[in-house]
Amino acid sequence: MITALLADDEEHALSLLELLLHQTGEVKVIGRCGNGIDAIAQIAHLKPDVAFLDIEMPGMNGLEVAERLGSAALDTQVVFVTAYDRYAVSAFENDALDYLLKPLEVDRLNRTVGRVKRAVSRRKSEGSEQQRSEAATAAEGNPPCELQVQLLGEIQVSVEGKGRLKWRTSKEKELFAYLAVHYGSRIHRDVLLDELWPDEHYQKAKVYLHTCVSYLRRDFRQLGMEDAVIYEDEKYSLAPQLECSDYREFVDAAASLLQPGGGNAEQLERTVSLYSGRLFRSEDYQWADDEIRHTEAAIEAQLLRLTQIYETQRDYGRMIAAGRRLLQHSPYNEEAYRILMKAYAGSGKHDEVYRVYEEMGRRLDELQIQASDMTLSLYEGLRVRKRG
């Protein structure tokens, strides 16, 4: 017998649904309530197999209830009940098992009950299999699959042995990127709506957000990870293991260089090696402008510091490599050209000094500006040294 909880703000609708479910002979109603907040509390306490949720309820609608259920990782299936067909698509997108349109039809309800039975049976079977797998893994002493989250360069998430996550929509990907780059923070729902759907009507944007959250939870579940998105007090965050990205590692390493005793060549080289490309390289997220600017400034400062260390060590080969990388990040940076000219002169490659100077001239011409007196003085001084 399937256990069910019913939530609808119309008492007669609750009574009719309970009667029809009883007549199927397959469902036992163990709870009923008239609003979303009570539904959350009763589901957590009663743990029914399925919750039949009216979408239009005061305070907290059925979509929000389903979202909280997903965040709490409860094994309760969701069936939406609504008088509005426009919610049908979003119902499935929000990880609901099915939806029913009012007025209820007996044949349609029977098909839904059949789907619920199969889903409950399948979930119990999968749960038993997972428990056996976890027990075997613990007995063998095997480590869990390794998770990798990449934000520098392309946005990618992969789990060793299970492959790479495939984004269903660009907005799902963007929501993940926003939460990942704001690691350690719980982001209020309205902030996400303003940042990711600034031109949409509030209620429609909420549906889009719920859909993306559902996609993320479902996709990470397929990679063997439950509770990917945490929802509490109308705020969202990623599970702690998903916050451990290459971006976070780079930012934390860069911050450590500012501490007393930080900033030697070894530490700088390690931090620079973590930077695999511009944050969200292929995306155009306006909300990420500050984060991109800060990471670009950090990598440029570290490369500049490295070239200074290499110069004092007269390690001109590494100085050239760091200077070239700095130039890749900032192709109009005169300091990078001065670094390369000094490095090539120090290594005796005076022809390269001239080539770098010419390259700089072409770049600055694009901006219709002239080289600074400092750069001109350096170049003339290197030419004099060569003749000497």
Side-chain angles (χ1 to χ4, degrees):
M1 183 74 69
I2 300 169
T3 57
L5 177 130
L6 316 182
D8 197 313
D9 60 326
E10 297 180 356
E11 184 65 28
H12 73 277
L14 281 174
S15 298
L16 176 60
L17 179 56
E18 182 173 6
L19 174 63
L20 294 176
L21 289 172
H22 175 74
Q23 290 176 350
T24 67
E26 303 282 359
V27 182
K28 178 182 180 181
V29 175
I30 60 174
R32 48 189 281 177
C33 54
N35 60 75
I37 296 175
D38 288 345
I40 289 290
Q42 287 198 38
I43 291 170
H45 174 65
L46 299 173
K47 296 180 174 56
D49 294 320
V50 61
F52 289 84
L53 305 175
D54 181 37
I55 289 183
E56 292 290 322
M57 290 187 291
M60 180 186 297
N61 64 36
L63 296 171
E64 293 172 298
V65 173
E67 181 178 356
R68 292 204 180 190
L69 292 181
S71 180
L74 296 172
D75 289 334
T76 298
Q77 300 289 337
V78 171
V79 173
F80 285 129
V81 183
T82 178
Y84 302 95
D85 190 34
R86 63 190 176 90
Y87 283 112
V89 174
S90 63
F92 285 111
E93 291 176 339
N94 279 273
D95 218 7
L97 179 67
D98 203 350
Y99 74 98
L100 294 169
L101 292 179
K102 298 178 181 179
L104 299 176
E105 298 179 358
V106 173
D107 289 344
R108 182 68 175 86
L109 179 61
N110 287 335
R111 290 199 299 272
T112 296
V113 170
R115 294 190 67 182
V116 173
K117 284 182 61 179
R118 292 191 294 273
V120 170
S121 176
R122 184 169 56 251
R123 175 163 290 188
K124 289 179 179 178
S125 175
E126 291 173 351
S128 298
E129 180 62 30
Q130 182 176 354
Q131 288 177 355
R132 288 193 294 270
S133 176
E134 291 174 351
T137 298
E140 296 172 2
N142 293 333
C145 292
E146 182 180 357
L147 171 72
Q148 292 186 333
V149 177
Q150 177 181 318
L151 304 179
L152 298 173
E154 305 300 326
I155 304 173
Q156 295 180 1
V157 180
S158 60
V159 175
E160 185 179 344
K162 294 194 176 181
R164 182 183 301 174
L165 187 145
K166 295 181 180 179
W167 309 104
R168 296 169 185 255
T169 68
S170 60
K171 280 298 181 181
E172 177 198 15
K173 183 179 182 180
E174 184 176 0
L175 174 61
F176 175 81
Y178 192 98
L179 294 175
V181 84
H182 291 89
Y183 62 89
S185 300
R186 296 165 60 235
I187 310 299
H188 194 277
R189 174 194 61 204
D190 291 349
V191 173
L192 291 172
L193 299 182
D194 288 341
E195 295 279 27
L196 273 63
W197 293 277
D199 301 323
E200 293 290 352
H201 184 273
Y202 181 73
Q203 292 299 329
K204 183 180 289 186
K206 281 175 64 177
V207 172
Y208 292 156
L209 174 59
H210 298 156
T211 298
C212 290
V213 169
S214 175
Y215 280 165
L216 283 174
R217 287 182 177 141
R218 191 182 311 178
D219 291 339
F220 278 105
R221 198 176 298 132
Q222 291 177 354
L223 291 179
M225 182 179 302
E226 298 288 342
D227 309 329
V229 182
I230 299 171
Y231 179 77
E232 186 179 4
D233 297 330
E234 298 186 347
K235 296 177 182 178
Y236 294 86
S237 61
L238 293 176
Q241 61 267 40
L242 286 173
E243 292 188 335
C244 298
S245 65
D246 60 345
Y247 168 77
R248 179 174 185 172
E249 189 176 5
F250 173 79
V251 170
D252 290 349
S256 70
L257 297 176
L258 303 177
Q259 302 300 318
N264 60 45
E266 184 179 353
Q267 290 173 311
L268 284 162
E269 288 166 354
R270 178 183 176 278
T271 304
V272 166
S273 70
L274 295 172
Y275 193 90
S276 56
R278 185 181 74 87
L279 181 66
F280 311 142
R281 181 171 55 203
S282 299
E283 310 299 334
D284 184 22
Y285 300 152
Q286 293 185 0
W287 52 262
D289 286 347
D290 286 344
E291 286 78 11
I292 293 172
R293 187 161 50 248
H294 291 157
T295 52
E296 290 292 291
I299 187 65
E300 289 174 19
Q302 291 156 19
L303 287 168
L304 179 59
R305 177 60 183 145
L306 262 182
T307 63
Q308 294 168 347
I309 293 175
Y310 293 147
E311 184 176 14
T312 61
Q313 297 174 346
R314 296 188 178 183
D315 190 343
Y316 297 116
R318 290 188 175 182
M319 185 178 175
I320 291 169
R324 281 294 177 188
R325 185 165 182 185
L326 176 58
L327 205 56
Q328 290 176 354
H329 288 281
S330 185
Y332 301 99
N333 188 334
E334 274 194 63
E335 178 66 16
Y337 290 106
R338 289 196 292 268
I339 288 167
L340 285 172
M341 285 191 286
K342 288 189 288 185
Y344 281 123
S347 60
K349 298 178 181 179
H350 297 284
D351 290 343
E352 292 297 329
V353 174
Y354 174 76
R355 291 190 181 94
V356 169
Y357 183 77
E358 289 293 299
E359 180 184 347
M360 179 195 68
R362 289 191 295 271
R363 284 291 189 179
L364 296 184
D365 282 345
E366 295 174 6
L367 301 179
Q368 297 182 342
I369 60 175
Q370 299 294 320
S372 66
D373 290 342
M374 179 186 297
T375 302
L376 294 175
S377 176
L378 172 65
Y379 178 65
E380 289 301 325
L382 294 175
R383 288 181 63 192
V384 169
R385 188 186 308 173
K386 177 186 176 184
R387 288 196 298 269

